[in-house]
Amino acid sequence: MSTAFVALGSNLSKREEYLSEAIDLLDGHEAIRVSKRSSVYETEPVGYVDQQDFLNMVVQVETSLSADQLLDQCQQIEQELGRKRIVEWGPRTIDLDILLFDDEHMTKEHLTVPHPHMHERAFVMVPLVDVAPTIQIPALHQTAQEILDGLPDEEVRSMRVWGEI
C-alpha cells in the first residue's frame, strides 16, 4: 500500500457538499481508503481573483493504485462532480491535486510529485500540516511544518477555519 496526500478545493455552489462527495468517492473506491482529514479552511482565491472564496482541505489516503492511477481516479471524480476547466485558476466545483505519493519524486507530462507549487501556498500547507506536520517533502528536504513556518505570516493568518467534513 502507498500513502498519498490529496488537496481538495471548491468555490462554487455548495462547496462543502462537493468536498464531502469527493471524499466519499475517493473512500468508496475499492483501492483507496481515506485515513485522515484536515480541517476545512476558507481562503481567498489566488491567481484569478474575481471569484468566490474557496474551501480547502487535505486528505491522507492509503492506496494500492499507482500515482498515475490515483490521478486518473481524481480526474474522474472531478468530472463526475461537474468540474469544467474554462479559466485557469478559475471557479470550480471541485479540484483534487495529488501533493505527495510515498517518497516519490517524479515529473511526467500530466503529473508532478511532489506538487510543484505546494510549498508556496498556505492554502495547501496549513491543511497538510493538520494531517502530517512531520512528513518530509521530497527534494525540498524539509518537513511540512518547516515549509509552513517559512511562508509569509500574513498569508498563513489569512487562513480561516471553516469547520470539519
Side-chain angles (χ1 to χ4, degrees), residues 86-125:
I86 298 168
V87 176
E88 185 176 15
W89 296 331
R92 62 205 73 167
T93 55
I94 193 71
D95 184 27
L96 287 88
D97 288 322
I98 298 172
L99 303 176
L100 300 167
F101 192 92
D102 287 336
D103 292 329
E104 291 193 32
H105 187 227
M106 69 175 82
T107 302
K108 298 181 176 184
E109 181 180 337
H110 61 284
L111 177 62
T112 302
V113 174
H115 189 284
H117 301 290
M118 65 182 282
H119 63 284
E120 302 166 352
R121 299 173 173 165
F123 68 85
V124 172
M125 295 310 301

Side-chain angles (χ1 to χ4, degrees), residues 4-12 15-27 32 34-43 53-61 70 73-75 77-78 81 83 92-100 115 118 121-128 131 159 162 165:
F5 294 86
V6 179
L8 296 89
S10 176
N11 78 330
L12 286 178
R15 304 171 299 172
E16 67 277 6
E17 288 182 23
Y18 286 120
L19 293 176
S20 182
E21 288 180 47
I23 292 168
D24 288 347
L25 289 167
L26 279 170
D27 202 43
I32 302 170
V34 175
S35 56
K36 291 184 182 177
R37 303 171 187 208
S38 72
S39 293
V40 178
Y41 295 87
E42 190 165 38
T43 61
D53 287 353
F54 279 83
L55 290 184
N56 291 288
M57 68 182 299
V58 168
V59 296
Q60 177 179 326
V61 301
L70 181 59
Q73 185 60 31
C74 288
Q75 290 176 338
I77 290 168
E78 288 178 342
L81 296 179
R83 168 89 190 258
R92 62 205 73 167
T93 55
I94 193 71
D95 184 27
L96 287 88
D97 288 322
I98 298 172
L99 303 176
L100 300 167
H115 189 284
M118 65 182 282
R121 299 173 173 165
F123 68 85
V124 172
M125 295 310 301
V126 169
L128 179 60
V131 294
M159 301 284 298
W162 180 87
I165 291 183

